[in-house]
């Protein structure tokens, strides 16, 4: 089974800061990676699919990059409404999926 | 616009079963896959399994094999997730999500299942 790791597990940053989260797969998954935002009491929300494609309606401050085993998710300018937990998700072996453990983002 | 409406909260005894439903609106049901994802208190998102209603063949995460059954009713555009032999660790919010092949772009609001004696 493919294992996913994320770092950091949590971070605290100031409004306007650039925030970067990394996701690593235990084996090559090409670009078969999505990123989701999850706020307490809400349904998860798709932000990035296929590693770098911005979902329709998602602000452009969110971006993703990477391929193979190493991926990066970036918020270019952190906003108060971005407080959430962010998850990467691989789909190299469709129709199965695996989520990363998540990264909790807070405002400093 | 596609919407997924899930059934209401459940409280179950250990050892019992729960069946959660997810009704899809809009022209999505036959052409997409539907997945179940859960989040236990203090834990992350966990994929449980999914189904492509057109083919009626479910797929399950290894962890839940033998304990979960996912089915679909194309006539009512409803997907079901049944989890058996419930234990306290199954207390969680259960989400259904539509998958456009590789990414889950529409989610239900979640169903809270509490397992307690």
């Amino acid at each position: 089974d493919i294992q996913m790791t994320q770092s950091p597990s949590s971070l605290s940053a100031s409004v306007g800061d650039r925030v970067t989260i990394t996701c690593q797969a235990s084996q090559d998954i090409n670009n078969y990676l999505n990123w989701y935002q999850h706020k307490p009491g809400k349904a998860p929300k798709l932000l990035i699919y296929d590693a770098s494609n911005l979902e329709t309606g998602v602000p452009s401050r969110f971006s993703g990059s990477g391929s193979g085993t190493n991926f990066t998710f970036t918020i270019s300018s952190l906003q108060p409404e971005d407080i959430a937990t962010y998850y990467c998700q691989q789909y190299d072996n469709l129709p199965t999926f695996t989520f990363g453990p998540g990264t909790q983002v807070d405002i400093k | 616009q596609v919407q997924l409406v899930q059934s209401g909260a459940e409280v179950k005894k250990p050892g019992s079963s729960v069946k959660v439903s997810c009704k899809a609106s809009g022209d999505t049901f036959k052409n997409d896959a539907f997945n179940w994802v859960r989040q236990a208190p203090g834990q992350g998102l966990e994929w449980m399994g999914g189904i492509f209603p057109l083919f009626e063949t479910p797929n399950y995460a290894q962890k839940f094999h033998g304990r979960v059954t996912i089915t679909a009713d194309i006539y009512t555009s409803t997907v079901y997730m049944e989890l058996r032999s419930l234990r306290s660790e199954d207390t969680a919010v259960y989400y259904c999500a539509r998958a456009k092949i590789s990414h889950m772009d529409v989610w239900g609001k979640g169903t809270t299942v509490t397992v307690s004696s």
Side-chain angles (χ1 to χ4, degrees):
Chain A
D1 288 3
I2 299 172
Q3 305 301 316
M4 306 300 293
T5 58
Q6 283 184 238
S7 61
S9 57
S10 65
L11 67 88
S12 186
S14 300
V15 172
D17 281 355
R18 183 181 185 87
V19 168
T20 298
I21 298 169
T22 62
C23 176
Q24 187 167 48
S26 58
Q27 65 189 65
D28 189 335
I29 59 169
N30 296 289
N31 67 330
Y32 302 151
L33 189 98
N34 305 317
W35 289 95
Y36 297 85
Q37 176 191 66
H38 192 202
K39 298 180 179 181
K42 302 287 188 181
K45 178 183 178 182
L46 175 69
L47 300 180
I48 304 287
Y49 63 94
D50 299 345
S52 61
N53 294 304
L54 192 67
E55 172 70 346
T56 302
V58 173
S60 59
R61 64 180 181 273
F62 297 101
S63 64
S65 64
S67 66
T69 60
N70 294 298
F71 301 86
T72 299
F73 172 81
T74 300
I75 307 173
S76 61
S77 177
L78 187 67
Q79 300 301 305
E81 60 267 30
D82 299 337
I83 300 311
T85 302
Y86 293 84
Y87 296 89
C88 60
Q89 177 203 51
Q90 71 83 21
Y91 57 91
D92 184 64
N93 187 26
L94 280 175
T96 66
F97 296 86
T98 307
F99 286 95
T103 295
Q104 187 172 349
V105 175
D106 289 318
I107 294 287
K108 192 182 294 182
Chain B
Q1 187 168 350
V2 177
Q3 280 191 310
L4 302 177
V5 178
Q6 296 186 222
S7 51
E10 302 262 13
V11 179
K12 294 292 183 179
K13 300 285 189 188
S16 66
S17 300
V18 68
K19 191 169 186 177
V20 182
S21 67
C22 171
K23 184 174 176 61
S25 64
D27 187 23
T28 180
F29 201 71
K30 288 185 180 178
N31 300 321
D32 300 311
F34 292 84
N35 291 269
W36 289 92
V37 175
R38 78 176 188 181
Q39 184 182 39
Q43 304 298 310
L45 299 176
E46 183 174 34
W47 179 76
M48 300 179 67
I51 190 167
F52 199 104
L54 192 62
F55 302 125
E56 296 186 35
T57 303
N59 291 275
Y60 304 120
Q62 188 67 28
K63 174 178 177 177
F64 298 101
H65 246 285
R67 213 161 61 92
V68 69
T69 300
I70 296 173
T71 56
D73 183 339
I74 61 171
Y75 301 105
T76 61
S77 298
T78 303
V79 180
Y80 299 91
M81 186 283 299
E82 181 180 32
L83 188 61
R84 300 177 291 279
S85 302
L86 290 169
R87 37 220 192 212
S88 59
E89 309 88 89
D90 294 317
T91 293
V93 178
Y94 290 78
Y95 296 98
C96 67
R98 179 188 78 170
K100 274 291 188 186
I101 306 296
S102 62
H103 49 276
M104 300 175 191
D105 64 338
V106 179
W107 292 69
K109 293 186 176 181
T111 296
T112 299
V113 175
T114 302
V115 182
S116 174
S117 55

